[in-house]
């Protein structure tokens, strides 16, 4: 199983990069390929609506959903399911991808696991200082990916950007 996980991870990395600079490590990634955007599920729409409702009650701007953000969030949710672990692993790759492909100046993310409803995961994020700060941050766009593992447990990746 470990070998399968390593192959899966390697495939994600290979598919994520279309070219790299060989001149300097500091130059970073020249281009990062973004996968296609999956269709929004009802639970994802509800999560975004709840987050925007919360922001409105605080007098903050509503956030626009963003296909590139959704596609990138989806890759991380798939990764977490494959690893059976909720994490921010490789956040720097998602950040670089969104800087390159969505003109993001700032990127933050919330992840979650095991909640059965949109209300459940959003309330948990709002109860956590760092997650709430992401929800209430100075962002312009966001999107969320929610996927179920083989046992039916939900995994969530919610990414916020400022352009």
């Amino acid at each position: 199983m470990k070998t399968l996980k390593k192959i899966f991870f390697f495939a994600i990395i290979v598919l994520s990069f279309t070219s790299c600079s060989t001149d300097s490590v500091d130059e970073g990634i020249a281009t990062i390929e973004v996968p296609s955007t999956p269709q929004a599920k009802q639970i994802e729409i509800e999560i975004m609506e709840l987050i925007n409702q919360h922001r409105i009650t605080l007098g903050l701007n509503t956030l626009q959903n963003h296909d590139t953000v959704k596609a990138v969030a989806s890759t991380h949710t798939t990764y977490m399911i494959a690893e059976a672990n909720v994490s921010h692993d490789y956040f720097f790759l998602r950040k670089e991808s969104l800087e390159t492909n969505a003109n993001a100046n700032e990127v933050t993310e919330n992840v979650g696991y095991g909640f059965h409803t949109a209300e459940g995961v959003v309330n948990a994020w709002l109860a956590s200082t760092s997650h709430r700060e992401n929800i209430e941050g100075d962002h312009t766009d966001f999107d969320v990916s929610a996927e179920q593992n083989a046992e039916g447990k939900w995994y969530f990746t919610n990414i916020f950007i400022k352009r």
Side-chain angles (χ1 to χ4, degrees), residues 76-153:
H76 186 59
T77 304
T78 301
Y79 167 80
M80 291 191 301
I81 290 171
E83 292 294 309
N85 185 43
V86 179
S87 72
H88 294 284
D89 290 355
Y90 309 105
F91 173 72
F92 71 97
L93 292 175
R94 291 184 295 288
K95 182 178 185 285
E96 288 177 358
S97 177
L98 291 167
E99 288 170 346
T100 301
N101 297 296
N103 299 317
N105 296 314
E106 293 178 22
V107 180
T108 62
E109 101 182 340
N110 291 340
V111 295
Y113 164 77
F115 298 94
H116 304 290
T117 65
E119 294 86 2
V121 71
V122 171
N123 287 337
W125 285 333
L126 290 173
S128 161
T129 302
S130 61
H131 293 96
R132 186 178 62 251
E133 287 172 353
N134 288 342
I135 288 172
E136 297 173 357
D138 183 22
H139 307 295
T140 55
D141 306 273
F142 74 141
D143 222 306
V144 65
S145 168
E147 297 291 337
Q148 291 177 294
N149 68 6
E151 292 79 39
K153 300 286 185 181

